[in-house]
Amino acid sequence: MTGIGRVRVEGVVKSHGVTTVLHGIDLAIEPGEFFVLLGPSGSGKTTTLRILAGLESVSAGRVLMDGTDVTTQEPGARDVAMVFQSYALYPHMTVAQNIGFPLKMVGTNAAEIERAVTAAAAKVGIGHLLQRTPGQLSGGQQQRCALARAIVRQPRLFLLDEPLSNLDAKLRLETRLELHRLQRSLGVTTVYVTHDQEEAMTLADRIAVFMDGRIVQVGTPREIYARPQTIAVAGFIGTPPMNLLAGVWQGDAVTVSGRRLPLAVATSTPRDVMLGVRPGDLRIDAGGLKARVERVEDLGDSSIVSFMADERPLKLKSDRLPPVREGEDVFLGFAPEAAHLFDPHSGLRL
Amino acid sequence: MNGRSTLRRIALAAIAGAGLAVWAFPVIWGLLTSFKTERDVLAYPPVWLFKPTLDNYREVIFGASSIVPNLWSSFVVSTSATLLTMLIAVPAAYALARLRYPAKRASGFYVLATQMLPPVGLIIPYYLVLQKIGALDTYAGLTVIYLTFSLPFAIWLMVSYFEDVPFEMEEAALLDRAGRLRALWYVILPQVRGGMAVTTIFVFLNAWNEFMFAVVLGGNRVRPVTVAMFNFISVEQTQWAKLAAGAMLAMAPVILIGIFAQRHIVKGLTVGAVKGGGRR
């Protein structure tokens, strides 16, 4: 499959009447890549996926697949397969008929359909359920049936719209691993929509972060976590999200609530900044920012401590239980290189 | 609590029984009358115990006033009207439920608006049109007129069934390279087949029971059974027993359909009340 499944989205705008839901989207997805569209609800990620599928028209811009402009092509002509959030299985057909449907529609002979259906069902572990109808399957089995229907005809592009969101937490973890294994074994370019950053971080080769109908950052999970390009991305990625504090950057330190906190970078001219520190980088430090312990949450393998520092909430994440009590005043600091600085006006990383 | 629920059950049964009695009385009266002689029918005070006779049925089936040709007329008109209605209503309802096209709202309203007109107001224009084209007292003429009220009804009913099928199912079929027509045939129609059955039954029953258009626009050649029964009422006398026997025969298909399709009909009446309630 390598070599096919290259996708380009160029300046795509989508409007519904006076409401614009996509403001000029540009994307370049490489063959075989597992590409995740991540963002909060209403950020435009599902609309982008539906535009790739051909289920939505564009108001401006174009979509190219393997160098061919497919912007106005019908969904069926694009050679893409999609797994819907609801799975969209055909309730009156058996699992075998559901999986074989895309092949039947292109006139594949019955013997070949049976062989392909058996192979696809075996790949996702539902070979023993072929004669059941979707109504007789559990949520996880339905999801696998939808996956099998997508892989049976070896398309050039898989589109997955929050396929794990209807599964319980345990099954979601298992299926996530299997999905990754399946994608790697098939090597098919995959575009995956989710609002769950953990899913995005664990599955993606690269992530595009959507906010308010725009892509605000594209990068590997590590890049997006380590160097968020905007305050919005910094506040969205990470559990809990990054702590953000307004301060003044002067020399090699930032002053927050009258306390100088050292940085690894220096400036010659003082300026207002938004300081960002990941909860995992925050530590209890005698020379830091004064804060009151609000709540200690023991998660077993880790703990999250909530603080209030000068009316601003802060969170600290640690793999051990810090020796603090609720209501106690402590000082918080961080390693100079762990700080992220943003322009408070433009929201961009400095 | 237990006493209250028993009381409640008795009260509900009493109300249901009263309602049933109101509905059932004319049917039971008609059934009894159809086995009486004309003398027993007119006896005063009414006789409840009588010697049943099949003469009335013999007369309305084999006699000079046989309604069998009229049952055939009813069957031809009702079946043609039902087939044509479903043939047009299913794609029309699908278009209304699914497609985006100019003036969709207006056309949807028009479908309902035709249902709001009082049918009696249309009889004269219909009569004049059919007379002009020579279609009075023809199967084609009466069938087309029946379409004018059965089509809006069927479209309106089928739209709700189509709207009940998730959009994503159709989109999945389009991505599976089915195209719109094959998506309709393989994916959508099988899911609304219950709705199609209900609509077919309703349309057939409406046409079968229709009287007003049939009596004005029919004639000697096309005379449905509802009109034929009217023959038993004349200036000199009303042949109640034969009328009742005719009515029982005319009601038979209606009741048979009702019994066999009860489950579908009840589902059809409650479509939209429960999410996905009318899907299959």
Side-chain angles (χ1 to χ4, degrees):
Chain A
M1 298 297 292
T2 313
I4 67 160
R6 185 185 305 276
V7 178
R8 294 281 178 276
V9 176
E10 296 176 357
V12 162
V13 175
K14 177 67 185 176
S15 303
H16 296 295
V18 291
T19 314
T20 301
V21 291
L22 290 180
H23 304 263
I25 297 291
D26 293 295
L27 275 177
I29 302 168
E30 300 308 321
E33 197 172 18
F34 201 124
F35 196 89
V36 172
L37 312 183
L38 173 68
S41 295
S43 58
K45 55 194 191 301
T46 295
T47 306
T48 305
L49 192 81
R50 290 174 58 81
I51 285 172
L52 290 178
L55 297 172
E56 296 271 355
S57 60
V58 302
S59 307
R62 57 183 199 149
V63 178
L64 295 111
M65 289 182 186
D66 296 319
T68 309
D69 189 340
V70 298
T71 316
T72 55
Q73 263 184 13
E74 288 293 313
R78 296 187 179 201
D79 191 20
V80 302
M82 183 159 167
V83 175
F84 291 84
Q85 191 172 4
S86 64
Y87 313 138
L89 298 174
Y90 311 130
H92 56 291
M93 297 183 195
T94 63
V95 169
Q97 288 167 333
N98 262 282
I99 300 172
F101 187 75
L103 299 178
K104 184 178 171 183
M105 288 302 102
V106 292
T108 310
N109 67 57
E112 177 58 22
I113 290 179
E114 195 183 335
R115 193 202 58 74
V117 165
T118 308
K123 267 191 187 125
V124 297
I126 54 165
H128 57 299
L129 302 171
L130 287 175
Q131 295 317 312
R132 297 209 190 158
T133 57
Q136 298 168 318
L137 303 180
S138 69
Q141 291 166 339
Q142 288 182 358
Q143 204 261 358
R144 283 153 195 267
C145 179
L147 268 176
R149 189 174 68 185
I151 64 177
V152 75
R153 63 188 167 96
Q154 303 171 330
R156 67 169 153 196
L157 183 64
F158 279 149
L159 304 172
L160 306 170
D161 186 9
E162 309 217 19
L164 306 183
S165 62
N166 290 333
L167 304 180
D168 64 51
K170 186 170 171 286
L171 196 56
R172 203 178 309 164
L173 283 180
E174 290 169 16
T175 314
R176 198 166 77 191
L177 281 173
E178 285 179 31
L179 202 58
H180 191 260
R181 180 185 54 78
L182 188 68
Q183 195 271 344
R184 283 290 182 264
S185 70
L186 296 169
V188 179
T189 311
T190 301
V191 183
Y192 184 104
V193 162
T194 182
H195 65 269
D196 182 330
Q197 49 166 305
E198 195 179 303
E199 243 172 70
M201 301 293 278
T202 50
L203 283 172
D205 291 321
R206 284 192 303 149
I207 298 173
V209 184
F210 279 69
M211 299 262 170
D212 300 322
R214 293 182 172 84
I215 293 176
V216 287
Q217 188 169 357
V218 179
T220 64
R222 174 50 46 192
E223 282 166 0
I224 285 175
Y225 184 81
R227 288 185 62 81
Q229 292 303 303
T230 67
I231 294 175
V233 175
F236 182 67
I237 300 287
T239 314
M242 188 182 276
N243 295 301
L244 294 163
L245 294 160
V248 177
W249 184 16
Q250 199 167 12
D252 60 354
V254 61
T255 306
V256 177
S257 301
R259 307 286 297 195
R260 268 176 66 81
L261 306 168
L263 296 175
V265 287
T267 179
S268 50
T269 49
R271 60 180 298 179
D272 289 341
V273 289
M274 187 64 79
L275 167 70
V277 183
R278 291 265 175 223
D281 292 330
L282 209 59
R283 62 187 185 215
I284 293 165
D285 180 348
L289 193 65
K290 191 178 175 192
R292 171 159 295 175
V293 179
E294 294 275 309
R295 177 107 181 88
V296 180
E297 292 167 279
D298 186 357
L299 305 178
D301 60 342
S302 62
S303 59
I304 294 171
V305 187
S306 303
F307 301 93
M308 197 57 89
D310 223 6
E311 303 295 311
R312 280 172 298 206
L314 294 174
K315 286 196 187 286
L316 177 153
K317 190 176 181 184
S318 172
D319 53 9
R320 57 186 184 81
L321 198 61
V324 292
R325 280 173 289 112
E326 288 174 10
E328 185 185 354
D329 283 335
V330 295
F331 291 91
L332 298 173
F334 50 86
E337 59 277 10
H340 303 257
L341 294 175
F342 300 95
D343 183 315
H345 306 294
S346 67
L348 296 176
R349 186 182 189 88
L350 294 172
Chain B
M1 198 66 194
N2 230 349
R4 266 186 70 180
S5 84
T6 310
L7 207 67
R8 195 181 135 88
R9 217 173 293 160
I10 292 170
L12 278 175
I15 294 169
L20 185 68
V22 169
W23 175 85
F25 175 75
V27 181
I28 294 168
W29 181 86
L31 187 68
L32 290 175
T33 304
S34 70
F35 291 108
K36 286 181 179 178
T37 60
E38 290 295 342
R39 181 197 295 269
D40 284 340
V41 174
L42 298 172
Y44 188 85
V47 284
W48 293 103
L49 292 172
F50 58 91
K51 194 176 165 213
T53 171
L54 287 173
D55 285 351
N56 301 313
Y57 284 97
R58 268 186 217 108
E59 177 58 29
V60 297
I61 296 172
F62 305 110
S65 44
S66 168
I67 61 163
V68 172
N70 311 100
L71 285 169
W72 175 248
S73 264
S74 282
F75 178 78
V76 171
V77 173
S78 304
T79 308
S80 324
T82 305
L83 286 178
L84 280 171
T85 298
M86 294 310 290
L87 215 60
I88 303 169
V90 168
Y94 171 76
L96 271 175
R98 281 291 196 262
L99 304 184
R100 283 176 243 171
Y101 60 90
K104 177 176 164 172
R105 277 176 70 101
S107 59
F109 176 75
Y110 174 74
V111 167
L112 268 186
T114 54
Q115 285 287 72
M116 295 171 193
L117 294 172
V120 70
L122 298 170
I123 282 198
I124 293 170
Y126 283 165
Y127 184 89
L128 293 174
V129 170
L130 291 190
Q131 189 187 40
K132 198 90 177 161
I133 60 173
L136 273 178
D137 195 16
T138 62
Y139 283 119
L142 201 56
T143 302
V144 168
I145 296 304
Y146 280 8
L147 286 185
T148 62
F149 59 87
S150 65
L151 253 184
F153 169 76
I155 292 173
W156 173 74
L157 200 58
M158 283 307 301
V159 164
S160 56
Y161 285 106
F162 279 120
E163 283 177 345
D164 222 23
V165 179
F167 257 110
E168 288 188 344
M169 206 110 34
E170 196 168 351
E171 290 175 343
L174 292 180
L175 280 161
D176 287 342
R177 296 183 277 193
R180 198 169 279 286
L181 278 181
R182 286 196 298 173
L184 178 66
W185 182 256
Y186 286 108
V187 175
I188 309 299
L189 286 187
Q191 291 184 67
V192 297
R193 61 180 189 268
M196 285 169 65
V198 172
T199 310
T200 305
I201 290 164
F202 279 147
V203 168
F204 182 84
L205 293 184
N206 281 343
W208 183 269
N209 290 327
E210 207 285 324
F211 172 73
M212 196 175 60
F213 289 116
V215 77
V216 177
L217 307 174
N220 287 329
R221 275 176 297 171
V222 179
R223 185 186 292 253
V225 71
T226 46
V227 180
M229 281 191 296
F230 211 53
N231 284 356
F232 297 115
I233 303 171
S234 64
V235 183
E236 296 86 36
Q237 62 162 339
T238 299
Q239 302 174 62
W240 290 110
K242 292 191 184 69
L243 177 63
M248 288 302 117
L249 287 181
M251 273 170 65
V254 178
I255 290 175
L256 284 177
I257 289 174
I259 290 169
F260 285 117
Q262 198 174 27
R263 198 171 58 94
H264 282 310
I265 291 176
V266 172
K267 264 191 181 175
L269 292 173
T270 56
V271 67
V274 180
K275 198 173 183 315
R279 194 167 295 166
R280 281 191 229 173

